[in-house]
Amino acid sequence: MLVLGDAHASDPEKRETLLETYERTDPDAVLQVGDLEYYDPPAPTWFAAGNNEDFDVVDLLRAGEQRENLRLLASTVAEVDGLRVAGLSGNYAPTQFDLPREELAGDRRRHFVRDDIEQAAQLADVDILLTHEAPKGLLSYGYDPGCEHVDTLLEDLSPDLCLVGHHHTHREAEIEGAHVVCLAPAWERYYTLETETLALEGRDVEW
């Protein structure tokens, strides 16, 4: 299974690198953690939306629009190669968190809200959780940029593995019993996941 961090594929060079990664790895399934910005992937791809997306497309996917090789995980879970993969789409903004999703407009649609967290917390038997936002305890820039609501979700769902985007850097930690990995961006590194053991291996992009 191919695992990808932020892609920012609205940029032509980054989109070319993304598509070359698909071509060279020829994956059966792909997991991606947001800021995808390209919605016609050449292999089956499950993603949690980030804060840089075409939110008109994301809204259609939230509403159930089917695309041949693309599935949005927005407080939902899917069976992927025998694994139950859940996703929390969006990032955190305290001023928007308690609003109903239908009140989010324009770029504010990039955020998750309390209802999204509560819906995700009801999912069962989750093996892998995809989030764009990081939990507390994973990163430090002189302060901790993580979000406690993601920690709560890790506690509620008890996934074995949590894959995180947004920060464009590779970090790993054990948080709430889960192996949490912040992924390097897709134009720098791609990852392969061993589905039996959930071992994740990163490889630098060299094309």
Side-chain angles (χ1 to χ4, degrees):
M1 189 183 295
L2 177 64
V3 172
L4 296 171
D6 293 27
H8 290 275
S10 60
D11 176 278
E13 291 185 4
K14 291 181 171 64
R15 182 168 61 251
E16 182 178 351
T17 299
L18 176 69
L19 293 175
E20 183 73 3
T21 301
Y22 273 89
E23 182 177 347
R24 295 200 182 205
T25 59
D26 190 25
D28 294 325
V30 181
L31 305 180
Q32 200 275 334
V33 292
D35 288 0
L36 179 56
E37 296 189 296
Y38 180 76
Y39 308 104
D40 188 26
T45 299
W46 288 259
F47 82 114
N51 59 304
N52 292 284
E53 306 285 2
D54 182 328
F55 293 107
D56 291 335
V57 171
V58 170
D59 280 351
L60 290 172
L61 294 169
R62 283 183 182 274
E65 179 181 283
Q66 299 295 307
R67 297 203 170 198
E68 182 178 1
N69 278 329
L70 189 65
R71 297 292 182 270
L72 175 68
L73 295 172
S75 302
T76 54
V77 66
E79 194 87 15
V80 185
D81 281 4
L83 297 169
R84 282 178 60 80
V85 181
L88 174 69
S89 285
N91 72 331
Y92 175 61
T95 59
Q96 309 297 304
F97 184 66
D98 288 310
L99 295 177
R101 169 153 297 282
E102 57 269 20
E103 291 187 16
L104 302 186
D107 286 348
R108 288 298 191 180
R109 292 177 290 171
R110 68 186 182 269
H111 302 304
F112 59 76
V113 297
R114 185 179 299 278
D115 287 346
D116 297 324
I117 293 287
E118 292 178 352
Q119 179 180 330
Q122 300 305 308
L123 302 174
D125 301 321
V126 173
D127 298 304
I128 300 174
L129 176 64
L130 308 182
T131 69
H132 193 65
E133 188 72 84
K136 293 283 188 183
L138 181 61
L139 297 143
S140 177
Y141 302 108
Y143 69 99
D144 188 334
C147 172
E148 63 185 10
H149 297 294
V150 179
D151 293 75
T152 299
L153 201 54
L154 289 172
E155 183 178 4
D156 289 339
L157 297 181
S158 299
D160 294 308
L161 178 64
C162 176
L163 302 172
V164 174
H166 194 44
H167 292 280
H168 297 189
T169 188
H170 182 93
R171 293 288 186 277
E172 300 187 38
E174 298 296 318
I175 300 172
E176 300 292 348
H179 182 204
V180 183
V181 183
C182 185
L183 302 176
W187 61 88
E188 291 182 359
R189 184 182 295 185
Y190 67 95
Y191 299 80
T192 55
L193 180 69
E194 170 52 57
T195 57
E196 294 295 325
T197 64
L198 298 186
L200 193 68
E201 182 178 354
R203 295 181 174 88
D204 290 341
V205 170
E206 296 178 341
W207 48 79

